[in-house]
Amino acid sequence: MRSTTGWQAHDGTLQKEPISRRDLRSDDIAVRVDFCGVCHTDLHGLKAHDGESPLVPGHEFTGVVTEVGPDVTAFRVGDAVAVGNIVDSCGACSMCAAGQENFCREFPTLTYGGKDRHDGTTTLGGFSREYVVRDRFAYPLPSGLDPAAAAPLMCAGVTVWEPLRALGVGPGMRVAVAGLGGLGHLAVKFAVALGAEVSVVSRSADRAEDVVRLGARDVVVSSDPESVQASRDRFDVLIDTIPVAHGLAPYLALVAMDGTLSQVGYLGGITVEAMALLVGRKKLTSGGSGGVPATTAMLEFCAAHGITADVEVLPSARVSEALDRLERGDVRYRFVLDMSDLG
């Protein structure tokens, strides 16, 4: 085993302390973690932590390769890399064969809180100075992308990229993005770059300047009946990134006939009235993360179009502040931790 330093959960708080990483297997690389994004999942994981298993959050990070296993050919020491929220899969099921490792029939190994497929240990995340990962689930970081601003692409980015591509978003399509947070602002950037006409659905118009800056056309104010009525049956695709429980009927009302609402922000139970789908033959779908091909394609697309997240970078010692502000919605639009203060 090898030792590094990370932020580990104890009694609902994160404490800086030594953590262990495995020695490299033949197809592993060791990564010095430089920047790690802060996701709502990290906040939920910390609140739900029961103390029975170790928890080090963080599942969207960038860094530099410091060591490679003997069978690794795709990476060399010194390479800039990015790692997302999946670090292994069975590799044999129909989903893995289709390049959808995120839907692995045996469930993918998550970057933290997962179960290592070889030794059964609990995976510890990227709020640390080093991570050891199977080479197949690390990605070359394009040289044109800022490593801090690119870190959120590996979770927030690919989570919205996959449904946009699966639904064929492109020129001539009308796309709405509900919620302008970590996922939502990247969904806007992607949809605009794909050539769609994009709008944002928000509870207020107070971020109208940001909406225009991101490339969207307008804001549909969900708390204003007149604004909602004016956009009824308007959008071919609506990407719902809202991370808390909410009713879907008002958002389905904005979807055009034969259009689709893709719910990617909230992972809990939802209730949908059949009539909300029936009138207009509307479809409800979802998605989560992305497989290796989709993640690779997303990074290439981001490099070609100069897309990264809008981030606020904080030293990792301020992780508690980041989580507290995230819970209050006080971020535009993603916190990223600079891990260099871990040594």
Side-chain angles (χ1 to χ4, degrees):
M1 301 293 287
R2 50 205 290 151
S3 180
T4 187
T5 307
W7 293 95
Q8 187 155 208
H10 293 282
D11 300 322
T13 63
L14 291 173
Q15 299 179 19
K16 177 182 174 181
E17 60 186 43
I19 62 172
S20 295
R21 295 292 186 197
R22 66 176 182 262
D23 291 327
L24 269 66
R25 298 169 186 146
S26 63
D27 59 350
D28 279 340
I29 63 172
V31 179
R32 184 194 71 213
V33 181
D34 291 330
F35 299 99
C36 187
V38 182
C39 177
H40 266 279
T41 305
D42 303 323
L43 184 62
H44 298 326
L46 186 60
K47 287 181 175 296
H49 185 231
D50 57 12
E52 293 185 6
S53 57
L55 173 64
V56 175
H59 62 196
E60 49 180 39
F61 62 86
T62 58
V64 174
V65 177
T66 58
E67 190 176 347
V68 300
D71 293 341
V72 174
T73 59
F75 297 101
R76 296 180 178 180
V77 172
D79 285 351
V81 295
V83 177
N85 57 3
I86 296 170
V87 292
D88 207 353
S89 70
C90 78
C93 71
S94 59
M95 289 296 182
C96 289
Q100 296 284 178
E101 294 87 352
N102 50 321
F103 302 138
C104 175
R105 297 297 190 192
E106 294 185 9
F107 201 78
T109 303
L110 301 180
T111 309
Y112 71 87
K115 183 178 180 181
D116 186 272
R117 310 186 89 85
H118 296 271
D119 60 24
T121 58
T122 300
T123 55
L124 305 178
F127 287 5
S128 60
R129 192 51 165 157
E130 182 183 71
Y131 199 95
V132 175
V133 61
R134 186 181 175 194
D135 62 346
R136 176 171 167 75
F137 291 88
Y139 302 84
L141 181 66
S143 59
L145 299 182
D146 175 79
L153 298 175
M154 301 308 295
C155 174
V158 74
T159 296
V160 295
W161 169 261
E162 177 138 311
L164 287 169
R165 299 306 288 145
L167 295 171
V169 167
M173 295 187 70
R174 299 162 299 171
V175 174
V177 177
L180 195 62
L183 275 70
H185 88 289
L186 284 170
V188 171
K189 291 187 178 187
F190 286 151
V192 169
L194 287 166
E197 176 187 293
V198 184
S199 301
V200 170
V201 184
S202 181
R203 288 174 295 180
S204 71
D206 63 354
R207 295 189 177 183
E209 290 186 7
D210 274 9
V211 167
V212 173
R213 177 181 59 80
L214 292 169
R217 174 178 175 178
D218 60 0
V219 179
V220 178
V221 181
S222 59
S223 60
D224 179 355
E226 292 186 5
S227 180
V228 171
Q229 182 60 32
S231 292
R232 186 178 179 89
D233 302 322
R234 174 181 168 190
F235 300 105
D236 303 301
V237 171
L238 190 151
I239 305 295
D240 184 348
T241 72
I242 301 169
V244 297
H246 59 283
L248 296 186
Y251 299 95
L252 282 166
L254 302 176
V255 175
M257 187 172 73
D258 293 321
T260 302
L261 186 156
S262 181
Q263 160 62 24
V264 298
Y266 179 65
L267 302 182
I270 58 174
T271 300
V272 180
E273 294 292 334
M275 287 295 292
L277 295 171
L278 182 153
V279 178
R281 292 194 301 260
K282 298 173 184 181
K283 298 178 281 290
L284 174 63
T285 185
S286 188
S289 188
V292 171
T295 305
T296 301
M298 177 206 64
L299 286 170
E300 293 173 350
F301 184 86
C302 288
H305 293 270
I307 295 174
T308 54
D310 289 8
V311 300
E312 181 176 343
V313 180
L314 298 175
S316 77
R318 294 171 64 183
V319 60
S320 295
E321 174 190 338
L323 289 166
D324 178 64
R325 287 178 55 193
L326 175 62
E327 188 170 25
R328 293 186 278 112
D330 179 23
V331 56
R332 293 190 179 182
Y333 284 98
R334 198 72 156 186
F335 284 117
V336 170
L337 301 178
D338 181 343
M339 313 309 295
S340 62
D341 61 355
L342 291 179

